[in-house]
Amino acid sequence: MKAPFDPDLQPPPQSGLPKHDLRRLQVWFLGIIAFAVVLFLLVQAKFLLISLAIAIMLFSLTSDAIGYMKRLRFGEARFSEWLASLLAVLLIATVLISLSAIILTQANTVVTTIMQYAEPGQRAVAEMFGWMGEDVEQAVLNWLRGVRLGSWLTTMAGQAGNIASGAVLVTLFVGFLFLERLWFSTKLTSLMGDAERAARVERIIGSIMHRVNHYLVVKTLVSLVTGALVYAVMRLFGLELALAMGVLTFVLNFIPNIGSIVATLATALVAYVQTGDNVTGLAVLAIVGILQFVVGQVLDPLLLGKTLRLSSFGIIASLAFWAAVWGVPGMFLAVPIMVSVMIVCSQIAWLRPVAVLLSREGLPDADMGDAGTRKPEHRDAA
């Protein structure tokens, strides 16, 4: 017999989660799975993706140069798009091959010098711990002698060899990017389905290119000046590996915060190992440290200004993440990637909090012009 219906009684609670909570949980699980898949692909295809990222930055740097070349006139003649692009690709190939040759040459010099100074260097480093007692000094010396330099040098030579093959791959990528440049606007309009939305995307891309280009140009000039000063200091003290330390300083200064510290310590250690004199080692450490401080804290901010607007903690976190994913090359690319992510997130409503966290002052799109003054459209989040 069926019980009579009582309207005062509440319906029994339904088991399980509400639909909206279940939907949210599914989205979170799918997001975690997608992140894991993307991370796996980033690690497995890192050589290809690193080369592509470098090619995109070089393409961005030379795009403005191509526009300038097209505006030049020699009487009635002027550069065509094809000729300007071809000259840009040849210039990039020449620079990359020259840099690869310099790095390979200096790597060979460093390997030869390490083998020559291996035993004296181990003793010199062990003597630095002599104030702690002879037992500690001997323990450090025994540990250093147990380090297998052969495998380390082999790995170093392999990494140097990858630079040459990477230069060729980057040149090919840049060439194809210049070919696609001719039809980029048409493709973007067709892809977005709306000329206004396509123009907005182009403004966002233009802002990314502007910030990254300014950062790379300034960082290259500042690193070049720092490397030249380190070379002069090494030559002043009559030390070997002056050019190698200058090149190392130039390269490592592209890694924010950490690179300059590593370059300074490496230069001082090389000076101490070569001379075995504490005064010389400390003098080189002090001079190079002062140079790095002046360049990093005065010249660098003066030239960069507020172009990046990146959080200092965000930079460190980005360095740690990309170092774990792509190793040392990832540390060089961490800042440009972070700038791109911040600008893109600032234009998507549900990702804007990420851009605010990555920015220094909470203003990730302060200098984007029209693209930055407009509020993010909610339809972009769909």
Side-chain angles (χ1 to χ4, degrees), residues 146-178:
V147 176
R148 297 180 179 180
L149 289 176
S151 59
W152 183 79
L153 293 176
T154 302
T155 303
M156 179 180 173
Q159 292 294 330
N162 288 337
I163 294 176
S165 57
V168 176
L169 187 59
V170 168
T171 304
L172 292 175
F173 276 139
V174 172
F176 286 114
L177 285 173
F178 276 120

mmCIF file of all heavy atoms in Angstrom, residues 146-178:
data_model
loop_
_atom_site.group_PDB
_atom_site.id
_atom_site.type_symbol
_atom_site.label_atom_id
_atom_site.label_comp_id
_atom_site.label_asym_id
_atom_site.label_seq_id
_atom_site.Cartn_x
_atom_site.Cartn_y
_atom_site.Cartn_z
ATOM 1 N N GLY A 146 88.132 12.329 -7.124
ATOM 2 C CA GLY A 146 87.165 11.304 -7.498
ATOM 3 C C GLY A 146 86.166 11.749 -8.552
ATOM 4 O O GLY A 146 85.427 10.916 -9.095
ATOM 5 N N VAL A 147 86.128 13.064 -8.818
ATOM 6 C CA VAL A 147 85.223 13.570 -9.848
ATOM 7 C C VAL A 147 85.737 13.154 -11.217
ATOM 8 O O VAL A 147 86.914 13.366 -11.544
ATOM 9 C CB VAL A 147 85.114 15.108 -9.761
ATOM 10 C CG1 VAL A 147 84.250 15.642 -10.898
ATOM 11 C CG2 VAL A 147 84.542 15.527 -8.411
ATOM 12 N N ARG A 148 84.882 12.577 -12.023
ATOM 13 C CA ARG A 148 85.269 12.102 -13.352
ATOM 14 C C ARG A 148 85.144 13.240 -14.355
ATOM 15 O O ARG A 148 84.059 13.561 -14.830
ATOM 16 C CB ARG A 148 84.398 10.925 -13.777
ATOM 17 C CG ARG A 148 84.546 9.703 -12.860
ATOM 18 C CD ARG A 148 83.670 8.567 -13.334
ATOM 19 N NE ARG A 148 83.828 7.390 -12.489
ATOM 20 C CZ ARG A 148 83.161 6.241 -12.678
ATOM 21 N NH1 ARG A 148 82.296 6.145 -13.683
ATOM 22 N NH2 ARG A 148 83.368 5.229 -11.856
ATOM 23 N N LEU A 149 86.267 13.844 -14.645
ATOM 24 C CA LEU A 149 86.259 14.954 -15.586
ATOM 25 C C LEU A 149 85.988 14.490 -17.010
ATOM 26 O O LEU A 149 85.457 15.249 -17.823
ATOM 27 C CB LEU A 149 87.603 15.699 -15.535
ATOM 28 C CG LEU A 149 87.876 16.523 -14.271
ATOM 29 C CD1 LEU A 149 89.275 17.120 -14.332
ATOM 30 C CD2 LEU A 149 86.841 17.608 -14.097
ATOM 31 N N GLY A 150 86.371 13.253 -17.319
ATOM 32 C CA GLY A 150 86.206 12.770 -18.688
ATOM 33 C C GLY A 150 84.766 12.774 -19.142
ATOM 34 O O GLY A 150 84.434 13.271 -20.219
ATOM 35 N N SER A 151 83.861 12.226 -18.310
ATOM 36 C CA SER A 151 82.438 12.189 -18.682
ATOM 37 C C SER A 151 81.851 13.594 -18.741
ATOM 38 O O SER A 151 81.045 13.911 -19.619
ATOM 39 C CB SER A 151 81.659 11.342 -17.673
ATOM 40 O OG SER A 151 81.805 11.879 -16.365
ATOM 41 N N TRP A 152 82.287 14.464 -17.819
ATOM 42 C CA TRP A 152 81.784 15.840 -17.823
ATOM 43 C C TRP A 152 82.227 16.578 -19.078
ATOM 44 O O TRP A 152 81.434 17.306 -19.695
ATOM 45 C CB TRP A 152 82.281 16.557 -16.580
ATOM 46 C CG TRP A 152 81.759 17.957 -16.473
ATOM 47 C CD1 TRP A 152 80.531 18.356 -16.042
ATOM 48 C CD2 TRP A 152 82.473 19.161 -16.816
ATOM 49 N NE1 TRP A 152 80.423 19.719 -16.091
ATOM 50 C CE2 TRP A 152 81.596 20.244 -16.561
ATOM 51 C CE3 TRP A 152 83.743 19.425 -17.294
ATOM 52 C CZ2 TRP A 152 81.970 21.560 -16.778
ATOM 53 C CZ3 TRP A 152 84.109 20.749 -17.520
ATOM 54 C CH2 TRP A 152 83.240 21.787 -17.255
ATOM 55 N N LEU A 153 83.485 16.391 -19.469
ATOM 56 C CA LEU A 153 83.993 17.053 -20.674
ATOM 57 C C LEU A 153 83.322 16.502 -21.926
ATOM 58 O O LEU A 153 83.067 17.232 -22.883
ATOM 59 C CB LEU A 153 85.503 16.883 -20.763
ATOM 60 C CG LEU A 153 86.324 17.611 -19.681
ATOM 61 C CD1 LEU A 153 87.798 17.278 -19.825
ATOM 62 C CD2 LEU A 153 86.105 19.106 -19.756
ATOM 63 N N THR A 154 83.032 15.199 -21.917
ATOM 64 C CA THR A 154 82.337 14.608 -23.060
ATOM 65 C C THR A 154 80.932 15.204 -23.203
ATOM 66 O O THR A 154 80.487 15.524 -24.312
ATOM 67 C CB THR A 154 82.243 13.088 -22.894
ATOM 68 O OG1 THR A 154 83.570 12.556 -22.773
ATOM 69 C CG2 THR A 154 81.542 12.454 -24.081
ATOM 70 N N THR A 155 80.238 15.364 -22.083
ATOM 71 C CA THR A 155 78.910 15.988 -22.114
ATOM 72 C C THR A 155 78.986 17.426 -22.601
ATOM 73 O O THR A 155 78.158 17.877 -23.400
ATOM 74 C CB THR A 155 78.281 15.944 -20.714
ATOM 75 O OG1 THR A 155 78.231 14.597 -20.267
ATOM 76 C CG2 THR A 155 76.884 16.529 -20.736
ATOM 77 N N MET A 156 80.010 18.138 -22.135
ATOM 78 C CA MET A 156 80.188 19.526 -22.554
ATOM 79 C C MET A 156 80.443 19.623 -24.049
ATOM 80 O O MET A 156 79.888 20.488 -24.742
ATOM 81 C CB MET A 156 81.351 20.147 -21.779
ATOM 82 C CG MET A 156 81.666 21.581 -22.144
ATOM 83 S SD MET A 156 83.041 22.234 -21.171
ATOM 84 C CE MET A 156 83.270 23.810 -21.998
ATOM 85 N N ALA A 157 81.280 18.723 -24.574
ATOM 86 C CA ALA A 157 81.549 18.724 -26.010
ATOM 87 C C ALA A 157 80.291 18.393 -26.807
ATOM 88 O O ALA A 157 80.045 18.951 -27.877
ATOM 89 C CB ALA A 157 82.659 17.727 -26.329
ATOM 90 N N GLY A 158 79.470 17.479 -26.280
ATOM 91 C CA GLY A 158 78.222 17.151 -26.963
ATOM 92 C C GLY A 158 77.261 18.316 -27.004
ATOM 93 O O GLY A 158 76.610 18.569 -28.029
ATOM 94 N N GLN A 159 77.161 19.062 -25.889
ATOM 95 C CA GLN A 159 76.306 20.245 -25.867
ATOM 96 C C GLN A 159 76.798 21.303 -26.852
ATOM 97 O O GLN A 159 76.014 21.966 -27.528
ATOM 98 C CB GLN A 159 76.263 20.832 -24.457
ATOM 99 C CG GLN A 159 75.561 19.952 -23.449
ATOM 100 C CD GLN A 159 74.082 19.798 -23.730
ATOM 101 O OE1 GLN A 159 73.446 20.680 -24.281
ATOM 102 N NE2 GLN A 159 73.524 18.661 -23.357
ATOM 103 N N ALA A 160 78.124 21.456 -26.939
ATOM 104 C CA ALA A 160 78.674 22.413 -27.895
ATOM 105 C C ALA A 160 78.386 21.989 -29.330
ATOM 106 O O ALA A 160 78.128 22.820 -30.211
ATOM 107 C CB ALA A 160 80.190 22.559 -27.680
ATOM 108 N N GLY A 161 78.427 20.667 -29.580
ATOM 109 C CA GLY A 161 78.095 20.181 -30.916
ATOM 110 C C GLY A 161 76.638 20.419 -31.276
ATOM 111 O O GLY A 161 76.308 20.655 -32.446
ATOM 112 N N ASN A 162 75.745 20.361 -30.278
ATOM 113 C CA ASN A 162 74.329 20.618 -30.534
ATOM 114 C C ASN A 162 74.078 22.057 -30.974
ATOM 115 O O ASN A 162 73.081 22.340 -31.643
ATOM 116 C CB ASN A 162 73.503 20.314 -29.283
ATOM 117 C CG ASN A 162 73.409 18.829 -29.002
ATOM 118 O OD1 ASN A 162 73.571 18.011 -29.912
ATOM 119 N ND2 ASN A 162 73.164 18.479 -27.756
ATOM 120 N N ILE A 163 74.967 22.973 -30.583
ATOM 121 C CA ILE A 163 74.792 24.372 -30.957
ATOM 122 C C ILE A 163 74.870 24.532 -32.468
ATOM 123 O O ILE A 163 74.087 25.271 -33.082
ATOM 124 C CB ILE A 163 75.849 25.244 -30.251
ATOM 125 C CG1 ILE A 163 75.609 25.233 -28.744
ATOM 126 C CG2 ILE A 163 75.824 26.666 -30.781
ATOM 127 C CD1 ILE A 163 76.653 25.982 -27.955
ATOM 128 N N ALA A 164 75.825 23.820 -33.101
ATOM 129 C CA ALA A 164 75.974 23.934 -34.554
ATOM 130 C C ALA A 164 74.753 23.394 -35.285
ATOM 131 O O ALA A 164 74.223 24.043 -36.200
ATOM 132 C CB ALA A 164 77.230 23.192 -34.997
ATOM 133 N N SER A 165 74.268 22.216 -34.873
ATOM 134 C CA SER A 165 73.078 21.657 -35.525
ATOM 135 C C SER A 165 71.850 22.500 -35.230
ATOM 136 O O SER A 165 70.964 22.668 -36.080
ATOM 137 C CB SER A 165 72.857 20.208 -35.062
ATOM 138 O OG SER A 165 72.743 20.152 -33.649
ATOM 139 N N GLY A 166 71.781 23.067 -34.023
ATOM 140 C CA GLY A 166 70.663 23.949 -33.696
ATOM 141 C C GLY A 166 70.669 25.214 -34.521
ATOM 142 O O GLY A 166 69.609 25.730 -34.892
ATOM 143 N N ALA A 167 71.856 25.740 -34.841
ATOM 144 C CA ALA A 167 71.948 26.951 -35.668
ATOM 145 C C ALA A 167 71.374 26.705 -37.056
ATOM 146 O O ALA A 167 70.668 27.556 -37.617
ATOM 147 C CB ALA A 167 73.402 27.406 -35.761
ATOM 148 N N VAL A 168 71.650 25.526 -37.616
ATOM 149 C CA VAL A 168 71.105 25.187 -38.941
ATOM 150 C C VAL A 168 69.583 25.077 -38.879
ATOM 151 O O VAL A 168 68.861 25.602 -39.746
ATOM 152 C CB VAL A 168 71.723 23.874 -39.448
ATOM 153 C CG1 VAL A 168 71.093 23.464 -40.778
ATOM 154 C CG2 VAL A 168 73.235 24.025 -39.611
ATOM 155 N N LEU A 169 69.068 24.414 -37.830
ATOM 156 C CA LEU A 169 67.618 24.243 -37.703
ATOM 157 C C LEU A 169 66.929 25.582 -37.491
ATOM 158 O O LEU A 169 65.852 25.847 -38.064
ATOM 159 C CB LEU A 169 67.318 23.292 -36.542
ATOM 160 C CG LEU A 169 65.858 22.872 -36.359
ATOM 161 C CD1 LEU A 169 65.336 22.182 -37.613
ATOM 162 C CD2 LEU A 169 65.716 21.948 -35.150
ATOM 163 N N VAL A 170 67.527 26.452 -36.688
ATOM 164 C CA VAL A 170 66.942 27.776 -36.449
ATOM 165 C C VAL A 170 66.892 28.579 -37.744
ATOM 166 O O VAL A 170 65.898 29.258 -38.039
ATOM 167 C CB VAL A 170 67.751 28.528 -35.370
ATOM 168 C CG1 VAL A 170 67.351 29.999 -35.327
ATOM 169 C CG2 VAL A 170 67.527 27.901 -34.012
ATOM 170 N N THR A 171 67.949 28.500 -38.543
ATOM 171 C CA THR A 171 67.968 29.220 -39.821
ATOM 172 C C THR A 171 66.848 28.736 -40.741
ATOM 173 O O THR A 171 66.173 29.547 -41.398
ATOM 174 C CB THR A 171 69.328 29.030 -40.509
ATOM 175 O OG1 THR A 171 70.372 29.464 -39.629
ATOM 176 C CG2 THR A 171 69.397 29.829 -41.806
ATOM 177 N N LEU A 172 66.614 27.431 -40.788
ATOM 178 C CA LEU A 172 65.519 26.893 -41.611
ATOM 179 C C LEU A 172 64.166 27.391 -41.107
ATOM 180 O O LEU A 172 63.295 27.785 -41.901
ATOM 181 C CB LEU A 172 65.570 25.371 -41.601
ATOM 182 C CG LEU A 172 66.755 24.721 -42.319
ATOM 183 C CD1 LEU A 172 66.732 23.208 -42.125
ATOM 184 C CD2 LEU A 172 66.733 25.057 -43.799
ATOM 185 N N PHE A 173 63.972 27.366 -39.799
ATOM 186 C CA PHE A 173 62.709 27.840 -39.237
ATOM 187 C C PHE A 173 62.480 29.312 -39.584
ATOM 188 O O PHE A 173 61.364 29.712 -39.947
ATOM 189 C CB PHE A 173 62.704 27.666 -37.715
ATOM 190 C CG PHE A 173 62.293 26.293 -37.264
ATOM 191 C CD1 PHE A 173 62.944 25.662 -36.215
ATOM 192 C CD2 PHE A 173 61.255 25.632 -37.872
ATOM 193 C CE1 PHE A 173 62.575 24.410 -35.793
ATOM 194 C CE2 PHE A 173 60.856 24.368 -37.459
ATOM 195 C CZ PHE A 173 61.522 23.756 -36.411
ATOM 196 N N VAL A 174 63.530 30.126 -39.446
ATOM 197 C CA VAL A 174 63.390 31.557 -39.746
ATOM 198 C C VAL A 174 63.025 31.764 -41.212
ATOM 199 O O VAL A 174 62.183 32.615 -41.553
ATOM 200 C CB VAL A 174 64.690 32.309 -39.394
ATOM 201 C CG1 VAL A 174 64.631 33.746 -39.886
ATOM 202 C CG2 VAL A 174 64.925 32.293 -37.897
ATOM 203 N N GLY A 175 63.657 30.999 -42.102
ATOM 204 C CA GLY A 175 63.336 31.114 -43.524
ATOM 205 C C GLY A 175 61.874 30.825 -43.809
ATOM 206 O O GLY A 175 61.206 31.569 -44.549
ATOM 207 N N PHE A 176 61.341 29.761 -43.213
ATOM 208 C CA PHE A 176 59.929 29.429 -43.430
ATOM 209 C C PHE A 176 59.001 30.460 -42.783
ATOM 210 O O PHE A 176 57.917 30.740 -43.309
ATOM 211 C CB PHE A 176 59.624 28.032 -42.886
ATOM 212 C CG PHE A 176 60.172 26.927 -43.745
ATOM 213 C CD1 PHE A 176 61.175 26.101 -43.281
ATOM 214 C CD2 PHE A 176 59.682 26.716 -45.026
ATOM 215 C CE1 PHE A 176 61.685 25.078 -44.073
ATOM 216 C CE2 PHE A 176 60.168 25.701 -45.826
ATOM 217 C CZ PHE A 176 61.182 24.880 -45.356
ATOM 218 N N LEU A 177 59.407 31.028 -41.646
ATOM 219 C CA LEU A 177 58.586 32.067 -41.018
ATOM 220 C C LEU A 177 58.497 33.306 -41.901
ATOM 221 O O LEU A 177 57.443 33.945 -41.998
ATOM 222 C CB LEU A 177 59.165 32.430 -39.654
ATOM 223 C CG LEU A 177 58.939 31.415 -38.525
ATOM 224 C CD1 LEU A 177 59.702 31.830 -37.281
ATOM 225 C CD2 LEU A 177 57.452 31.293 -38.205
ATOM 226 N N PHE A 178 59.595 33.653 -42.563
ATOM 227 C CA PHE A 178 59.560 34.797 -43.467
ATOM 228 C C PHE A 178 58.676 34.520 -44.681
ATOM 229 O O PHE A 178 58.032 35.436 -45.209
ATOM 230 C CB PHE A 178 60.972 35.167 -43.906
ATOM 231 C CG PHE A 178 61.694 36.041 -42.930
ATOM 232 C CD1 PHE A 178 62.871 35.625 -42.345
ATOM 233 C CD2 PHE A 178 61.192 37.286 -42.587
ATOM 234 C CE1 PHE A 178 63.545 36.427 -41.433
ATOM 235 C CE2 PHE A 178 61.846 38.101 -41.684
ATOM 236 C CZ PHE A 178 63.029 37.666 -41.108
#
